[in-house]
Amino acid sequence: MPADLLATPDLLRSVFRQHAAGVAVITARGEEGPVGFTATSLTSVSAEPSLLSFGVGTGASSWPAIAAADHVGVHVLGEHQQELAATFARSGADRFGPPTGWREGPEGVPVLDGVLAWLVGRVVARVPAGDHRIVIAEVVHGDPSGTGRPLLYHQGRFQRLRD
């Protein structure tokens, strides 16, 4: 078998660089304040009941709060929010300091301003998956009324949707 077809972490990363994904920010209320991270693994799981999922690394700074949270916030970012996505992806960044606009939302979850849509979900499962956990949450609140076009992640960069 050719070496380029062997299953390795680099092969997985290389293939998924070819996959364009929507960009979301996941938030939760932690013991020491709000936490959050940028995610491209957001998935709709079920309509009845309304379930969503996302992956989070167990080594991530947000993981302890996500591991203990009863509820999480899920924010779909618009193409005008590349800097916000980068802030929540950057290790050590002050994610909730200025210029990030946010408020306490339903269930005490941090809700970001200016997003295309947001949901608050009640965590129903955290499934071990290698060095990550797949978090499954049942939607309990939300607002789909933001305007604009979605922010995408492709080839290791945040990108705009083209017609």
Side-chain angles (χ1 to χ4, degrees):
M1 179 173 275
D4 61 345
L5 297 180
L6 294 175
T8 66
D10 287 339
L11 174 63
L12 182 70
R13 287 185 197 101
S14 294
V15 168
F16 273 90
R17 280 188 196 101
Q18 301 296 339
H19 175 68
V23 180
V25 167
I26 309 299
T27 62
R29 182 178 55 203
E31 285 187 19
E32 297 179 21
V35 301
F37 64 95
T38 300
T40 57
S41 59
L42 179 62
T43 305
S44 171
V45 174
S46 168
E48 295 281 338
S50 298
L51 298 174
L52 61 84
S53 72
F54 59 87
V56 57
T58 57
S61 61
S62 298
W63 170 242
I66 299 292
D70 292 330
H71 292 84
V72 293
V74 175
H75 307 81
V76 177
L77 300 191
E79 63 185 9
H80 63 287
Q81 295 178 303
Q82 290 185 21
E83 188 54 42
L84 182 67
T87 296
F88 276 84
R90 194 170 23 254
S91 180
D94 181 5
R95 296 172 178 158
F96 290 90
T100 300
W102 67 281
R103 66 192 181 284
E104 185 174 308
E107 311 298 337
V109 171
V111 172
L112 300 175
D113 295 339
V115 297
L116 296 186
W118 60 266
L119 298 166
V120 170
R122 180 180 59 80
V123 175
V124 297
R126 294 173 186 86
V127 181
D131 62 355
H132 278 61
R133 295 296 180 267
I134 306 302
V135 177
I136 301 172
E138 182 174 10
V139 175
V140 294
H141 300 279
D143 182 354
S145 66
T147 59
R149 296 167 60 117
L151 181 61
L152 300 178
Y153 190 74
H154 181 249
Q155 290 292 344
R157 299 181 329 176
F158 297 116
Q159 308 227 6
R160 297 172 185 257
L161 183 65
R162 296 187 186 118
D163 290 329

